[in-house]
Amino acid sequence: MAETVKTIRDTDDDARLLARRLIRGARYAAIGVLEPETGFPFTSRVLTGTDTDGAPVILISRLSVHTGALTVDPRASLLFGEPGKGDPLAHPRVTLRTRAVRIAREDERHGELRERFIRRHPKAALYADFPDFAFFRMVPESASLNGGFGKAYALEADDLVIRSPAVAGMAEIEAGAIEHMNADHRDAIDAYARTYAKSKRTGWKLCGIDCAGLDLILGDELIRIEFDVLLNDSTLLRDKLVEMSRFASQK
């Protein structure tokens, strides 16, 4: 008998890391929703950020088709991953199945989400406070990762979100830590970009910190650097940044 071909690989740490980088390192994604009037799938493009637990965040207008669709049916898919040179299907991408949760302006999380999103997308400050715009947390349920030909994986929510007891504590210190690093340690941030992301550019700034890693921005370019270990205490952040700086200085 012919040997059965396994089309979905067993999910391993490399697959989890790739999926997280694709999602957390993205500035935008394709969104798929169900159009209420017709039942047809409807796709569009949205800017994306992340919450401190790694869940994607989008900022959209109620005038858009996808906002109306999410109001009726919160299920949505987000496609992350950039095609490069050659065959676009040879490049990794991940489709994330989510349920959208609208964050009201009076919600205590709104200010934090707004600040994180605008650090990643500064131009969004021009319209983020318009009355027809709202933030949505896209809560992950599962995902399909294609790392290239013959590299398909099925992932669950726990493979993608940040499960740390320090998520809330990190959120409290994030803005201050970013301000301090961007004001006093720009050389270290450039060293992170050079060492951990092979960037040849300088002038990087931090735009996000969570228990799993750092987000760096320079113009329209975004870099996601994952820590080698998940931080389970926000007080460990300083030591981790110093450790990364020392490692980078040896390269």
Side-chain angles (χ1 to χ4, degrees):
M1 296 178 62
E3 185 177 349
T4 302
V5 178
K6 192 172 185 179
T7 57
I8 305 296
R9 294 190 177 191
D10 293 333
T11 300
D12 56 19
D13 287 341
D14 287 341
R16 295 183 183 95
L17 180 60
L18 176 57
R20 292 166 184 164
R21 282 178 171 165
L22 288 170
I23 295 168
R24 298 171 190 170
R27 298 182 66 250
Y28 59 87
I31 187 171
V33 296
L34 294 175
E35 196 173 31
E37 296 80 6
T38 66
F40 269 85
F42 179 89
T43 59
S44 187
R45 180 177 292 146
V46 291
L47 296 181
T48 59
T50 57
D51 201 350
T52 49
D53 65 352
V57 174
I58 62 175
L59 173 64
I60 51 179
S61 168
R62 68 166 178 260
L63 304 178
S64 67
V65 172
H66 38 284
T67 301
L70 293 176
T71 301
V72 175
D73 186 338
R75 293 177 298 171
S77 291
L78 294 170
L79 172 64
F80 298 91
E82 284 295 300
K85 294 181 179 180
D87 189 341
L89 298 183
H91 297 275
R93 63 270 188 195
V94 60
T95 299
L96 183 62
R97 302 177 189 89
T98 71
R99 288 189 180 269
V101 178
R102 183 179 183 275
I103 305 301
R105 291 178 187 268
E106 59 271 17
D107 191 303
E108 61 182 10
R109 295 173 295 175
H110 183 273
E112 178 187 304
L113 288 180
R114 181 188 182 280
E115 184 176 2
R116 292 194 103 238
F117 196 90
I118 290 176
R119 281 199 302 262
R120 183 177 292 217
H121 302 286
K123 293 180 182 178
L126 298 173
Y127 53 83
D129 297 325
F130 287 1
D132 60 302
F133 275 82
F135 288 101
F136 286 78
R137 266 177 49 91
M138 310 302 286
V139 181
E141 295 206 345
S142 63
S144 295
L145 170 68
N146 191 317
F149 290 120
K151 299 178 181 179
Y153 302 87
L155 289 80
E156 303 300 325
D158 281 344
D159 294 318
L160 304 167
V161 298
I162 299 171
R163 303 291 192 193
S164 168
V167 167
M170 190 68 75
E172 291 178 1
I173 68 171
E174 180 189 23
I178 289 173
E179 182 178 2
H180 169 68
M181 290 295 295
N182 287 341
D184 299 337
H185 300 287
R186 296 290 292 277
D187 289 347
I189 299 172
D190 280 340
Y192 298 157
R194 181 178 63 252
T195 304
Y196 298 99
K198 297 181 172 60
S199 173
K200 296 180 180 180
R201 303 178 68 192
T202 59
W204 292 94
K205 291 184 177 182
L206 281 177
C207 67
I209 301 175
D210 55 55
C211 294
L214 308 174
D215 300 323
L216 279 61
I217 193 168
L218 177 56
D220 291 332
E221 188 176 352
L222 180 72
I223 288 175
R224 173 66 184 184
I225 299 173
E226 293 280 310
F227 295 146
D228 56 347
V229 294
L230 189 69
L231 300 185
N232 289 316
D233 188 327
S234 61
T235 63
L236 298 176
L237 175 61
R238 183 183 182 280
D239 289 344
K240 172 55 66 177
L241 295 178
V242 170
E243 173 192 310
M244 292 173 65
S245 295
R246 288 174 177 167
F247 180 80
S249 67
Q250 298 170 4
K251 296 298 179 179

